[in-house]
Amino acid sequence: MKDVYLLSGFLGSGKTSLLAHLIAQFKAEGLKPAVIMNELGKLAFDSRVVDNDVPLKEMLEGCICCTGSEKMEAQLQTLLEGETFDVLLIETTGAAHPVEAMDAVFSPLFASKLNMKGIVTVADCKRWLERDKMTPQTRMLFLEQIKHAHLIVANKTDLLSDSEVASVTMQIQSLNNAAPIIQTSNSKIPLALITKLEATFHEKGINKTAIGKQLFLSSRLHTFSDAVDQDSFEDWVRSLPDTVYRIKGYVPLKGHKNPYLFQYAYGMVQWLPEFMKMEPQIVLIGDQIDRIEIIGESSYD
């Protein structure tokens, strides 16, 4: 199983610098990293920091978190089948919501192949001080990237006074007190800080994935043993709390030969027919996912 780290952060925060430092440190430890880079434009300027001996897949003119989800799955499949590597680093575009980017990684197709270790968000401390100048939508994204991080890299502290650094660090930590925070310049952090974000798998009737033992954002993989009624399934989805951000996978429906592709986000559901018999599994992503009872389950302890 390959460990996966998702690098998040607003535009210009220092994600690519962090990526370059992590690649060098993994290689120094004798581990071979692979990289997926997502850029909104047509040209892959940032990919120049990736050495030629590092397997690299690029996603241009699209965001992992929206129309690029299927492209991401294709890139992951290509990497897993065609390249040899030990760890995967995914750098999202600065316009990506971390939960949505995480959703693209957590396809049931890769449940037994990829081990999501966590979201590392680079927060631009200088921009934090000027966040009130952003549009409301942009500021919300900036805050969401920090809120959902498993590790926060408070970057560009060299541009601030000591008192500003202390104030920014305290304010960012209050927004997400579950994630460790480290002050940096040029996004330089010790490798051990991210490798400690250990994910564990438990198998008792269902599979649960806890991303970082002390962290709040988690995923859960459920395998269906029987087909379900579509209306009953949708009723169950509508009953879920707001802390469930995403559901994605293949649901076996009564009266249909193959499981249907199902996606849920922001209260909206989507069903698509599947012409191959896919594994009947769904992944739930959100907060306190372990407390959710899956339809048809009497117990999942």
Side-chain angles (χ1 to χ4, degrees):
M1 186 173 289
K2 312 294 186 183
D3 287 341
V4 182
Y5 300 91
L6 196 149
L7 309 185
S8 175
F10 202 70
L11 297 163
S13 61
K15 294 189 304 298
T16 303
S17 296
L18 175 62
L19 174 66
H21 293 315
L22 293 179
I23 289 173
Q25 291 183 77
F26 274 120
K27 292 172 72 172
E29 293 291 325
L31 298 173
K32 184 175 182 179
V35 174
I36 292 179
M37 299 187 75
N38 181 210
E39 299 189 56
L40 290 174
K42 295 182 179 181
L43 300 178
F45 292 109
D46 289 344
S47 63
R48 298 171 185 174
V49 306
V50 180
D51 298 334
N52 292 332
D53 61 342
V54 174
L56 170 67
K57 297 295 179 183
E58 298 167 295
M59 294 178 58
L60 305 179
E61 290 193 281
C63 179
I64 289 173
C65 61
C66 41
T67 58
S69 181
E70 292 183 0
K71 294 180 182 178
M72 166 64 98
E73 291 186 9
Q75 298 285 38
L76 286 169
Q77 190 70 36
T78 301
L79 275 177
L80 289 168
E81 293 181 356
E83 300 286 354
T84 300
F85 62 95
D86 301 304
V87 60
L88 177 61
L89 302 170
I90 300 175
E91 181 188 339
T92 67
T93 172
H97 189 295
V99 175
E100 295 170 332
M102 187 176 170
D103 167 64
V105 178
F106 267 106
S107 168
L109 296 173
F110 312 120
S112 62
K113 300 177 182 179
L114 299 177
N115 177 31
M116 178 58 127
K117 298 276 278 183
I119 298 171
V120 182
T121 293
V122 183
D124 185 333
C125 292
K126 187 71 172 177
R127 189 181 294 272
W128 175 270
L129 291 176
E130 301 171 351
R131 64 191 183 281
D132 290 340
K133 298 179 182 179
M134 298 178 174
T135 64
Q137 295 86 352
T138 302
R139 182 168 61 252
M140 180 61 69
L141 175 61
F142 182 47
L143 299 180
E144 286 288 295
Q145 290 171 339
I146 296 171
K147 178 181 176 182
H148 292 289
H150 299 129
L151 174 66
I152 301 169
V153 179
N155 195 34
K156 303 185 182 181
T157 56
D158 54 314
L159 303 180
L160 277 61
S161 66
D162 290 345
S163 61
E164 286 176 329
V165 170
S167 177
V168 168
T169 302
M170 182 176 65
Q171 292 169 6
I172 290 177
Q173 193 75 83
S174 67
L175 186 64
N176 180 354
N177 59 18
I181 184 169
I182 181 171
Q183 301 169 356
T184 69
S185 60
N186 201 28
S187 299
K188 292 183 177 179
I189 66 170
L191 185 63
L193 281 177
I194 71 164
T195 57
K196 287 180 180 178
L197 300 178
E198 297 179 356
T200 56
F201 283 78
H202 308 280
E203 297 185 6
K204 285 188 178 181
I206 64 162
N207 295 319
K208 301 177 185 176
T209 309
I211 304 176
K213 298 174 183 178
Q214 80 283 17
L215 305 175
F216 64 92
L217 185 64
S218 62
S219 74
R220 178 173 162 192
L221 175 69
H222 171 71
T223 301
F224 292 93
S225 57
D226 298 299
V228 298
D229 177 75
Q230 183 172 348
D231 290 338
S232 298
F233 186 84
E234 291 190 8
D235 287 342
W236 168 74
V237 170
R238 284 191 286 268
S239 73
L240 294 172
D242 293 339
T243 51
V244 178
Y245 304 130
R246 286 285 188 272
I247 305 175
K248 181 178 182 180
Y250 297 92
V251 179
L253 296 177
K254 292 180 179 179
H256 296 274
K257 180 180 178 181
N258 296 324
Y260 266 55
L261 173 62
F262 175 81
Q263 298 194 60
Y264 165 84
Y266 299 112
M268 303 293 292
V269 301
Q270 180 184 41
W271 295 95
L272 292 173
E274 178 57 56
F275 301 102
M276 297 178 61
K277 190 171 180 59
M278 306 300 293
E279 189 75 14
Q281 297 179 324
I282 56 172
V283 173
L284 294 84
I285 301 174
D287 189 2
Q288 301 177 345
I289 292 298
D290 59 316
R291 301 182 183 182
I292 301 298
E293 185 170 347
I294 307 294
I295 182 172
E297 286 183 337
S298 58
S299 175
Y300 49 88
D301 293 334

mmCIF file of all heavy atoms in Angstrom, residues 152-194:
data_model
loop_
_atom_site.group_PDB
_atom_site.id
_atom_site.type_symbol
_atom_site.label_atom_id
_atom_site.label_comp_id
_atom_site.label_asym_id
_atom_site.label_seq_id
_atom_site.Cartn_x
_atom_site.Cartn_y
_atom_site.Cartn_z
ATOM 1 N N ILE A 152 -0.422 22.027 9.656
ATOM 2 C CA ILE A 152 -0.402 23.387 9.118
ATOM 3 C C ILE A 152 1.028 23.904 9.067
ATOM 4 O O ILE A 152 1.741 23.899 10.076
ATOM 5 C CB ILE A 152 -1.253 24.344 9.972
ATOM 6 C CG1 ILE A 152 -2.711 23.855 10.032
ATOM 7 C CG2 ILE A 152 -1.205 25.763 9.414
ATOM 8 C CD1 ILE A 152 -3.553 24.591 11.057
ATOM 9 N N VAL A 153 1.454 24.330 7.896
ATOM 10 C CA VAL A 153 2.760 24.948 7.711
ATOM 11 C C VAL A 153 2.548 26.452 7.638
ATOM 12 O O VAL A 153 2.072 26.984 6.622
ATOM 13 C CB VAL A 153 3.447 24.430 6.430
ATOM 14 C CG1 VAL A 153 4.805 25.102 6.240
ATOM 15 C CG2 VAL A 153 3.600 22.913 6.473
ATOM 16 N N ALA A 154 2.828 27.152 8.723
ATOM 17 C CA ALA A 154 2.669 28.605 8.772
ATOM 18 C C ALA A 154 3.894 29.222 8.104
ATOM 19 O O ALA A 154 4.948 29.401 8.723
ATOM 20 C CB ALA A 154 2.530 29.083 10.217
ATOM 21 N N ASN A 155 3.760 29.563 6.833
ATOM 22 C CA ASN A 155 4.899 29.924 6.000
ATOM 23 C C ASN A 155 5.085 31.443 5.884
ATOM 24 O O ASN A 155 4.186 32.217 6.182
ATOM 25 C CB ASN A 155 4.711 29.321 4.608
ATOM 26 C CG ASN A 155 5.992 29.334 3.801
ATOM 27 O OD1 ASN A 155 7.086 29.181 4.354
ATOM 28 N ND2 ASN A 155 5.877 29.512 2.498
ATOM 29 N N LYS A 156 6.297 31.820 5.458
ATOM 30 C CA LYS A 156 6.693 33.217 5.229
ATOM 31 C C LYS A 156 6.760 34.024 6.526
ATOM 32 O O LYS A 156 6.494 35.233 6.538
ATOM 33 C CB LYS A 156 5.761 33.884 4.213
ATOM 34 C CG LYS A 156 5.698 33.154 2.868
ATOM 35 C CD LYS A 156 4.873 33.902 1.841
ATOM 36 C CE LYS A 156 4.781 33.132 0.542
ATOM 37 N NZ LYS A 156 4.002 33.834 -0.494
ATOM 38 N N THR A 157 7.126 33.361 7.601
ATOM 39 C CA THR A 157 7.255 34.070 8.880
ATOM 40 C C THR A 157 8.405 35.061 8.865
ATOM 41 O O THR A 157 8.441 35.980 9.691
ATOM 42 C CB THR A 157 7.469 33.062 10.021
ATOM 43 O OG1 THR A 157 8.609 32.238 9.726
ATOM 44 C CG2 THR A 157 6.253 32.169 10.209
ATOM 45 N N ASP A 158 9.338 34.901 7.920
ATOM 46 C CA ASP A 158 10.467 35.825 7.825
ATOM 47 C C ASP A 158 10.022 37.215 7.371
ATOM 48 O O ASP A 158 10.782 38.186 7.499
ATOM 49 C CB ASP A 158 11.523 35.281 6.855
ATOM 50 C CG ASP A 158 10.958 34.937 5.490
ATOM 51 O OD1 ASP A 158 9.886 34.283 5.437
ATOM 52 O OD2 ASP A 158 11.573 35.305 4.475
ATOM 53 N N LEU A 159 8.807 37.317 6.860
ATOM 54 C CA LEU A 159 8.294 38.605 6.392
ATOM 55 C C LEU A 159 7.524 39.346 7.471
ATOM 56 O O LEU A 159 7.039 40.455 7.244
ATOM 57 C CB LEU A 159 7.380 38.392 5.174
ATOM 58 C CG LEU A 159 8.002 37.670 3.967
ATOM 59 C CD1 LEU A 159 6.970 37.532 2.856
ATOM 60 C CD2 LEU A 159 9.240 38.419 3.469
ATOM 61 N N LEU A 160 7.419 38.753 8.658
ATOM 62 C CA LEU A 160 6.640 39.324 9.751
ATOM 63 C C LEU A 160 7.533 39.644 10.945
ATOM 64 O O LEU A 160 8.617 39.081 11.098
ATOM 65 C CB LEU A 160 5.541 38.351 10.193
ATOM 66 C CG LEU A 160 4.225 38.323 9.406
ATOM 67 C CD1 LEU A 160 4.453 37.935 7.950
ATOM 68 C CD2 LEU A 160 3.264 37.334 10.057
ATOM 69 N N SER A 161 7.063 40.530 11.799
ATOM 70 C CA SER A 161 7.759 40.798 13.054
ATOM 71 C C SER A 161 7.480 39.654 14.023
ATOM 72 O O SER A 161 6.565 38.847 13.815
ATOM 73 C CB SER A 161 7.279 42.117 13.657
ATOM 74 O OG SER A 161 5.910 42.012 14.045
ATOM 75 N N ASP A 162 8.243 39.583 15.101
ATOM 76 C CA ASP A 162 8.042 38.513 16.088
ATOM 77 C C ASP A 162 6.636 38.563 16.681
ATOM 78 O O ASP A 162 5.994 37.525 16.878
ATOM 79 C CB ASP A 162 9.078 38.637 17.211
ATOM 80 C CG ASP A 162 10.482 38.293 16.752
ATOM 81 O OD1 ASP A 162 10.617 37.694 15.659
ATOM 82 O OD2 ASP A 162 11.448 38.626 17.476
ATOM 83 N N SER A 163 6.140 39.756 16.942
ATOM 84 C CA SER A 163 4.798 39.877 17.516
ATOM 85 C C SER A 163 3.731 39.462 16.512
ATOM 86 O O SER A 163 2.716 38.842 16.877
ATOM 87 C CB SER A 163 4.541 41.307 17.998
ATOM 88 O OG SER A 163 4.615 42.233 16.924
ATOM 89 N N GLU A 164 3.941 39.785 15.241
ATOM 90 C CA GLU A 164 2.996 39.373 14.200
ATOM 91 C C GLU A 164 2.983 37.856 14.049
ATOM 92 O O GLU A 164 1.921 37.244 13.890
ATOM 93 C CB GLU A 164 3.352 40.038 12.868
ATOM 94 C CG GLU A 164 3.009 41.521 12.802
ATOM 95 C CD GLU A 164 3.467 42.157 11.509
ATOM 96 O OE1 GLU A 164 4.493 41.704 10.935
ATOM 97 O OE2 GLU A 164 2.806 43.112 11.058
ATOM 98 N N VAL A 165 4.168 37.241 14.101
ATOM 99 C CA VAL A 165 4.256 35.784 13.995
ATOM 100 C C VAL A 165 3.485 35.123 15.133
ATOM 101 O O VAL A 165 2.715 34.178 14.921
ATOM 102 C CB VAL A 165 5.722 35.314 14.013
ATOM 103 C CG1 VAL A 165 5.805 33.795 14.161
ATOM 104 C CG2 VAL A 165 6.448 35.763 12.751
ATOM 105 N N ALA A 166 3.668 35.617 16.335
ATOM 106 C CA ALA A 166 2.974 35.057 17.498
ATOM 107 C C ALA A 166 1.468 35.212 17.356
ATOM 108 O O ALA A 166 0.698 34.281 17.642
ATOM 109 C CB ALA A 166 3.465 35.734 18.774
ATOM 110 N N SER A 167 1.015 36.385 16.898
ATOM 111 C CA SER A 167 -0.410 36.642 16.748
ATOM 112 C C SER A 167 -1.024 35.770 15.665
ATOM 113 O O SER A 167 -2.088 35.159 15.867
ATOM 114 C CB SER A 167 -0.641 38.118 16.416
ATOM 115 O OG SER A 167 -2.008 38.378 16.203
ATOM 116 N N VAL A 168 -0.352 35.682 14.509
ATOM 117 C CA VAL A 168 -0.869 34.879 13.395
ATOM 118 C C VAL A 168 -0.939 33.406 13.784
ATOM 119 O O VAL A 168 -1.919 32.716 13.511
ATOM 120 C CB VAL A 168 -0.001 35.066 12.139
ATOM 121 C CG1 VAL A 168 -0.350 34.027 11.079
ATOM 122 C CG2 VAL A 168 -0.169 36.469 11.578
ATOM 123 N N THR A 169 0.115 32.922 14.432
ATOM 124 C CA THR A 169 0.146 31.518 14.843
ATOM 125 C C THR A 169 -1.006 31.194 15.784
ATOM 126 O O THR A 169 -1.684 30.169 15.634
ATOM 127 C CB THR A 169 1.482 31.185 15.525
ATOM 128 O OG1 THR A 169 2.567 31.465 14.630
ATOM 129 C CG2 THR A 169 1.540 29.714 15.917
ATOM 130 N N MET A 170 -1.258 32.070 16.731
ATOM 131 C CA MET A 170 -2.339 31.845 17.683
ATOM 132 C C MET A 170 -3.695 31.870 16.983
ATOM 133 O O MET A 170 -4.574 31.037 17.265
ATOM 134 C CB MET A 170 -2.291 32.910 18.787
ATOM 135 C CG MET A 170 -3.358 32.727 19.862
ATOM 136 S SD MET A 170 -3.203 33.944 21.201
ATOM 137 C CE MET A 170 -3.546 35.474 20.296
ATOM 138 N N GLN A 171 -3.882 32.804 16.043
ATOM 139 C CA GLN A 171 -5.154 32.915 15.336
ATOM 140 C C GLN A 171 -5.407 31.703 14.435
ATOM 141 O O GLN A 171 -6.528 31.174 14.381
ATOM 142 C CB GLN A 171 -5.183 34.202 14.514
ATOM 143 C CG GLN A 171 -5.222 35.468 15.353
ATOM 144 C CD GLN A 171 -4.978 36.715 14.525
ATOM 145 O OE1 GLN A 171 -4.892 36.676 13.301
ATOM 146 N NE2 GLN A 171 -4.867 37.856 15.198
ATOM 147 N N ILE A 172 -4.367 31.269 13.732
ATOM 148 C CA ILE A 172 -4.514 30.096 12.862
ATOM 149 C C ILE A 172 -4.792 28.855 13.699
ATOM 150 O O ILE A 172 -5.642 28.031 13.356
ATOM 151 C CB ILE A 172 -3.254 29.903 11.992
ATOM 152 C CG1 ILE A 172 -3.157 31.020 10.947
ATOM 153 C CG2 ILE A 172 -3.271 28.541 11.303
ATOM 154 C CD1 ILE A 172 -1.910 30.946 10.085
ATOM 155 N N GLN A 173 -4.084 28.720 14.804
ATOM 156 C CA GLN A 173 -4.283 27.563 15.663
ATOM 157 C C GLN A 173 -5.696 27.536 16.235
ATOM 158 O O GLN A 173 -6.285 26.460 16.403
ATOM 159 C CB GLN A 173 -3.266 27.563 16.804
ATOM 160 C CG GLN A 173 -3.193 26.248 17.567
ATOM 161 C CD GLN A 173 -2.481 25.159 16.803
ATOM 162 O OE1 GLN A 173 -1.262 25.087 16.807
ATOM 163 N NE2 GLN A 173 -3.235 24.292 16.146
ATOM 164 N N SER A 174 -6.264 28.705 16.517
ATOM 165 C CA SER A 174 -7.628 28.742 17.049
ATOM 166 C C SER A 174 -8.649 28.307 16.002
ATOM 167 O O SER A 174 -9.729 27.811 16.344
ATOM 168 C CB SER A 174 -7.964 30.151 17.549
ATOM 169 O OG SER A 174 -8.031 31.074 16.465
ATOM 170 N N LEU A 175 -8.313 28.474 14.739
ATOM 171 C CA LEU A 175 -9.203 28.044 13.661
ATOM 172 C C LEU A 175 -9.187 26.528 13.503
ATOM 173 O O LEU A 175 -10.183 25.921 13.111
ATOM 174 C CB LEU A 175 -8.781 28.710 12.345
ATOM 175 C CG LEU A 175 -9.687 28.491 11.129
ATOM 176 C CD1 LEU A 175 -11.050 29.114 11.362
ATOM 177 C CD2 LEU A 175 -9.038 29.079 9.877
ATOM 178 N N ASN A 176 -8.053 25.918 13.810
ATOM 179 C CA ASN A 176 -7.909 24.460 13.710
ATOM 180 C C ASN A 176 -6.952 24.007 14.800
ATOM 181 O O ASN A 176 -5.748 23.911 14.600
ATOM 182 C CB ASN A 176 -7.380 24.068 12.324
ATOM 183 C CG ASN A 176 -7.213 22.570 12.163
ATOM 184 O OD1 ASN A 176 -7.381 21.804 13.102
ATOM 185 N ND2 ASN A 176 -6.869 22.143 10.958
ATOM 186 N N ASN A 177 -7.491 23.752 15.983
ATOM 187 C CA ASN A 177 -6.630 23.365 17.103
ATOM 188 C C ASN A 177 -6.346 21.872 17.138
ATOM 189 O O ASN A 177 -5.668 21.389 18.036
ATOM 190 C CB ASN A 177 -7.242 23.818 18.437
ATOM 191 C CG ASN A 177 -8.622 23.227 18.674
ATOM 192 O OD1 ASN A 177 -9.010 22.248 18.050
ATOM 193 N ND2 ASN A 177 -9.372 23.846 19.589
ATOM 194 N N ALA A 178 -6.862 21.117 16.150
ATOM 195 C CA ALA A 178 -6.586 19.679 16.093
ATOM 196 C C ALA A 178 -5.298 19.378 15.339
ATOM 197 O O ALA A 178 -4.737 18.296 15.482
ATOM 198 C CB ALA A 178 -7.756 18.944 15.438
ATOM 199 N N ALA A 179 -4.845 20.320 14.528
ATOM 200 C CA ALA A 179 -3.668 20.077 13.691
ATOM 201 C C ALA A 179 -2.427 20.734 14.279
ATOM 202 O O ALA A 179 -2.473 21.889 14.704
ATOM 203 C CB ALA A 179 -3.919 20.628 12.292
ATOM 204 N N PRO A 180 -1.309 20.021 14.291
ATOM 205 C CA PRO A 180 -0.045 20.651 14.677
ATOM 206 C C PRO A 180 0.282 21.791 13.706
ATOM 207 O O PRO A 180 -0.086 21.737 12.532
ATOM 208 C CB PRO A 180 0.977 19.511 14.549
ATOM 209 C CG PRO A 180 0.176 18.254 14.569
ATOM 210 C CD PRO A 180 -1.150 18.603 13.943
ATOM 211 N N ILE A 181 0.974 22.816 14.192
ATOM 212 C CA ILE A 181 1.349 23.944 13.349
ATOM 213 C C ILE A 181 2.839 24.194 13.513
ATOM 214 O O ILE A 181 3.378 24.127 14.626
ATOM 215 C CB ILE A 181 0.529 25.204 13.714
ATOM 216 C CG1 ILE A 181 0.863 26.362 12.770
ATOM 217 C CG2 ILE A 181 0.711 25.607 15.153
ATOM 218 C CD1 ILE A 181 -0.094 27.541 12.907
ATOM 219 N N ILE A 182 3.521 24.459 12.390
ATOM 220 C CA ILE A 182 4.954 24.739 12.432
ATOM 221 C C ILE A 182 5.221 26.028 11.670
ATOM 222 O O ILE A 182 4.683 26.257 10.587
ATOM 223 C CB ILE A 182 5.775 23.570 11.844
ATOM 224 C CG1 ILE A 182 7.272 23.886 11.933
ATOM 225 C CG2 ILE A 182 5.350 23.236 10.429
ATOM 226 C CD1 ILE A 182 8.174 22.720 11.593
ATOM 227 N N GLN A 183 6.038 26.890 12.262
ATOM 228 C CA GLN A 183 6.396 28.164 11.637
ATOM 229 C C GLN A 183 7.590 27.949 10.717
ATOM 230 O O GLN A 183 8.585 27.320 11.106
ATOM 231 C CB GLN A 183 6.738 29.185 12.712
ATOM 232 C CG GLN A 183 5.605 29.449 13.698
ATOM 233 C CD GLN A 183 6.063 30.253 14.897
ATOM 234 O OE1 GLN A 183 7.240 30.556 15.038
ATOM 235 N NE2 GLN A 183 5.124 30.586 15.776
ATOM 236 N N THR A 184 7.505 28.464 9.486
ATOM 237 C CA THR A 184 8.587 28.253 8.522
ATOM 238 C C THR A 184 8.798 29.487 7.657
ATOM 239 O O THR A 184 7.948 30.376 7.574
ATOM 240 C CB THR A 184 8.277 27.078 7.569
ATOM 241 O OG1 THR A 184 7.195 27.453 6.709
ATOM 242 C CG2 THR A 184 7.918 25.813 8.312
ATOM 243 N N SER A 185 9.934 29.485 7.000
ATOM 244 C CA SER A 185 10.161 30.353 5.853
ATOM 245 C C SER A 185 10.581 29.426 4.710
ATOM 246 O O SER A 185 11.265 28.430 4.928
ATOM 247 C CB SER A 185 11.262 31.389 6.136
ATOM 248 O OG SER A 185 12.482 30.757 6.451
ATOM 249 N N ASN A 186 10.093 29.709 3.528
ATOM 250 C CA ASN A 186 10.377 28.892 2.347
ATOM 251 C C ASN A 186 9.883 27.453 2.498
ATOM 252 O O ASN A 186 10.422 26.539 1.881
ATOM 253 C CB ASN A 186 11.876 28.900 2.028
ATOM 254 C CG ASN A 186 12.171 28.515 0.586
ATOM 255 O OD1 ASN A 186 11.345 28.726 -0.294
ATOM 256 N ND2 ASN A 186 13.327 27.929 0.351
ATOM 257 N N SER A 187 8.894 27.240 3.360
ATOM 258 C CA SER A 187 8.212 25.939 3.511
ATOM 259 C C SER A 187 9.151 24.790 3.882
ATOM 260 O O SER A 187 8.911 23.639 3.510
ATOM 261 C CB SER A 187 7.465 25.577 2.219
ATOM 262 O OG SER A 187 6.483 26.524 1.907
ATOM 263 N N LYS A 188 10.189 25.081 4.628
ATOM 264 C CA LYS A 188 11.129 24.022 5.022
ATOM 265 C C LYS A 188 10.672 23.383 6.329
ATOM 266 O O LYS A 188 10.642 24.024 7.373
ATOM 267 C CB LYS A 188 12.532 24.595 5.189
ATOM 268 C CG LYS A 188 13.166 25.043 3.881
ATOM 269 C CD LYS A 188 14.597 25.527 4.115
ATOM 270 C CE LYS A 188 15.258 25.911 2.796
ATOM 271 N NZ LYS A 188 16.655 26.401 2.992
ATOM 272 N N ILE A 189 10.297 22.095 6.247
ATOM 273 C CA ILE A 189 9.889 21.363 7.444
ATOM 274 C C ILE A 189 10.593 20.008 7.469
ATOM 275 O O ILE A 189 10.920 19.455 6.419
ATOM 276 C CB ILE A 189 8.359 21.152 7.499
ATOM 277 C CG1 ILE A 189 7.888 20.225 6.375
ATOM 278 C CG2 ILE A 189 7.622 22.481 7.448
ATOM 279 C CD1 ILE A 189 6.443 19.794 6.508
ATOM 280 N N PRO A 190 10.847 19.461 8.657
ATOM 281 C CA PRO A 190 11.438 18.122 8.757
ATOM 282 C C PRO A 190 10.472 17.062 8.243
ATOM 283 O O PRO A 190 9.260 17.143 8.472
ATOM 284 C CB PRO A 190 11.692 17.949 10.261
ATOM 285 C CG PRO A 190 11.600 19.320 10.843
ATOM 286 C CD PRO A 190 10.659 20.082 9.973
ATOM 287 N N LEU A 191 11.004 16.071 7.555
ATOM 288 C CA LEU A 191 10.175 15.018 6.991
ATOM 289 C C LEU A 191 9.365 14.292 8.061
ATOM 290 O O LEU A 191 8.220 13.884 7.824
ATOM 291 C CB LEU A 191 11.061 14.012 6.238
ATOM 292 C CG LEU A 191 10.346 12.905 5.478
ATOM 293 C CD1 LEU A 191 9.475 13.488 4.373
ATOM 294 C CD2 LEU A 191 11.358 11.913 4.898
ATOM 295 N N ALA A 192 9.935 14.143 9.242
ATOM 296 C CA ALA A 192 9.270 13.385 10.309
ATOM 297 C C ALA A 192 7.915 13.982 10.687
ATOM 298 O O ALA A 192 7.035 13.277 11.170
ATOM 299 C CB ALA A 192 10.162 13.327 11.543
ATOM 300 N N LEU A 193 7.726 15.281 10.454
ATOM 301 C CA LEU A 193 6.469 15.920 10.829
ATOM 302 C C LEU A 193 5.286 15.385 10.029
ATOM 303 O O LEU A 193 4.171 15.289 10.554
ATOM 304 C CB LEU A 193 6.566 17.433 10.651
ATOM 305 C CG LEU A 193 7.302 18.192 11.746
ATOM 306 C CD1 LEU A 193 7.373 19.669 11.403
ATOM 307 C CD2 LEU A 193 6.602 18.007 13.088
ATOM 308 N N ILE A 194 5.517 15.027 8.764
ATOM 309 C CA ILE A 194 4.388 14.505 7.990
ATOM 310 C C ILE A 194 4.318 12.987 8.056
ATOM 311 O O ILE A 194 3.221 12.427 7.977
ATOM 312 C CB ILE A 194 4.408 14.996 6.527
ATOM 313 C CG1 ILE A 194 5.537 14.351 5.728
ATOM 314 C CG2 ILE A 194 4.492 16.495 6.443
ATOM 315 C CD1 ILE A 194 5.330 14.518 4.236
#
